[in-house]
Amino acid sequence: MSKLLHISLLFAAAFLAVSWVHAESPVKVYVLVGQSNMQGKGAIEGEGTNTLRHMVQNDPGKEYQFLVKDDGEWVEREDVWIYLDQAPRESVHGGLKPGYGSSGGQVGPELGLGHVMGDANEGQVLVIKACWGGKSLGHNFLPPSVGKYPKPVMPGDPGFFYHEILRIVNHVTGNIGAYFPGYKGQGMEIAGLCYHQGWNDQYGGLDETYETNLAAFIKDIRSAEHGLGVPGLPVVIATSGMIETEDSLIKQGQLAMGDPKKYPQFVGNVSVVDTDKPYGPDRMEFKFYTEQSPDKVGYHWNNHARSYVNIGRAMAAEMTKLDTISSLSYHS
């Protein structure tokens, strides 16, 4: 082989490799926001009927077999990455598998959501969890346009955790190669935000402004001035069905985001999963009581893994329906 031909073949191979990298779809980034129920309290292992292990071992319809390998080990997806902020503890990150809930022994909505979104996207998916227990929308996540406070600096300041969401998303996307070495420089797209929060706003009169605050949160988190700079960012809300009060202003406020008459600007870019009702044609359930949930911790969906997995699956199903009006790409 002549030296000139050898060089030409090397150049062609390099060109094809570079072309393949740049042709690959950008990483789709989904941000999960909320309090302890977005963190996730679903038990993974154990004898209880509310555990993830019991769920997959007693699965006559094979509905949840996507979670396990043939040998019974949990599936860890290479095409779905996950990052969980655990401040003040060290963050954790890796391929999606059980263990990214409030503790390593628990799961949240990320598990079901990550599997559905991974199947729905051709390229890589990144799930960023920015959620903390015991936080209210009316104080901790208070959106800037409502609060009109100077940028908060202490965890107790109004809106501090709203700004933490932005900090975490910017930090992870700005350092993606450090957290996920498999990143090939294909760019990133903030593709959606999922919201599951509400319990703490029952107290101190915060329920009275919940709807106003939630609408402002959606507007602000999309804006360039106060948020991620993604106009029309798809947002999916899972209602606080663990609140048993039928006339809860919090649940009413959450459902209102999907009302085209009240919020026509949210049509096609905001969706609401009503967790008080079965979801979809398969009538997927979210509430499990009595012997199915021996822990009987109502405000944490009775620590039932199926509740959390199903909430994530339903949110993801709604996310796939929403039209992306605009997106923000990062290139590292």
Side-chain angles (χ1 to χ4, degrees):
M1 181 184 296
S2 69
K3 184 175 181 181
L4 179 60
L5 177 59
H6 180 69
I7 292 173
S8 297
L9 289 174
L10 287 176
F11 177 80
F15 175 79
L16 289 173
V18 171
S19 298
W20 178 83
V21 168
H22 287 287
E24 190 170 345
S25 300
V27 177
K28 292 290 188 74
V29 181
Y30 298 96
V31 185
L32 274 55
V33 173
Q35 55 184 120
S36 58
N37 281 308
M38 185 58 99
Q39 285 181 312
K41 299 290 185 177
I44 297 177
E45 303 287 357
E47 299 299 322
T49 55
N50 61 342
T51 68
L52 193 69
R53 181 65 66 185
H54 183 274
M55 190 173 83
V56 299
Q57 290 178 342
N58 297 270
D59 185 19
K62 305 298 182 183
E63 185 178 0
Y64 300 101
Q65 294 311 299
F66 64 90
L67 296 171
V68 290
K69 303 176 186 177
D70 291 340
D71 61 3
E73 292 294 316
W74 299 115
V75 167
E76 181 174 357
R77 294 189 68 138
E78 296 181 356
D79 61 335
V80 182
W81 297 325
I82 183 164
Y83 177 98
L84 168 64
D85 181 83
Q86 296 192 121
R89 295 176 292 159
E90 186 177 353
S91 64
V92 291
H93 51 87
L96 180 71
K97 63 180 180 179
Y100 286 90
S102 287
S103 72
Q106 296 172 308
V107 297
E110 78 289 334
L111 188 61
L113 180 138
H115 275 277
V116 174
M117 299 316 299
D119 293 343
N121 287 284
E122 293 183 0
Q124 194 72 35
V125 168
L126 169 60
V127 177
I128 299 176
K129 294 188 69 175
C131 39
W132 302 269
K135 300 296 180 284
S136 66
L137 174 61
H139 181 80
N140 307 105
F141 292 122
L142 191 67
S145 66
V146 174
K148 297 182 174 61
Y149 294 103
K151 187 173 181 179
V153 295
M154 299 295 291
D157 292 345
F160 177 86
F161 286 91
Y162 175 94
H163 289 277
E164 280 293 281
I165 298 167
L166 306 180
R167 182 191 66 78
I168 290 165
V169 172
N170 289 330
H171 171 74
V172 176
T173 54
N175 298 276
I176 190 169
Y179 291 111
F180 305 103
Y183 178 66
K184 300 183 179 67
Q186 64 267 46
M188 281 164 280
E189 174 186 331
I190 308 296
L193 183 143
C194 294
Y195 192 89
H196 189 35
Q197 180 279 338
W199 183 270
N200 276 57
D201 287 87
Q202 295 179 93
Y203 311 107
L206 297 179
D207 57 343
E208 296 177 2
T209 56
Y210 192 87
E211 180 180 332
T212 300
N213 289 341
L214 187 53
F217 178 93
I218 295 170
K219 177 178 69 71
D220 285 3
I221 204 74
R222 290 170 164 175
S223 72
E225 180 183 3
H226 296 304
L228 297 169
V230 188
L233 176 70
V235 173
V236 176
I237 299 161
T239 65
S240 298
M242 79 293 295
I243 298 175
E244 293 299 326
T245 307
E246 292 186 7
D247 59 350
S248 165
L249 291 177
I250 293 165
K251 292 194 289 187
Q252 289 179 19
Q254 293 163 344
L255 290 169
M257 300 301 106
D259 186 336
K261 293 182 179 179
K262 295 190 73 172
Y263 296 96
Q265 70 272 32
F266 291 162
V267 174
N269 57 74
V270 174
S271 188
V272 181
V273 175
D274 186 352
T275 58
D276 278 307
K277 300 177 180 178
Y279 174 83
D282 296 330
R283 309 287 290 171
M284 186 162 56
E285 297 279 357
F286 305 110
K287 296 184 178 184
F288 303 96
Y289 298 125
T290 63
E291 71 281 355
Q292 293 181 312
S293 300
D295 291 344
K296 300 189 188 308
V297 186
Y299 51 85
H300 283 155
W301 295 106
N302 293 318
N303 295 346
H304 205 302
R306 188 179 305 187
S307 297
Y308 289 100
V309 172
N310 284 355
I311 288 170
R313 292 168 69 201
M315 295 181 87
E318 290 301 307
M319 183 64 72
T320 62
K321 299 176 185 178
L322 298 179
D323 295 328
T324 303
I325 297 174
S326 180
S327 63
L328 176 64
S329 294
Y330 295 82
H331 296 276
S332 301

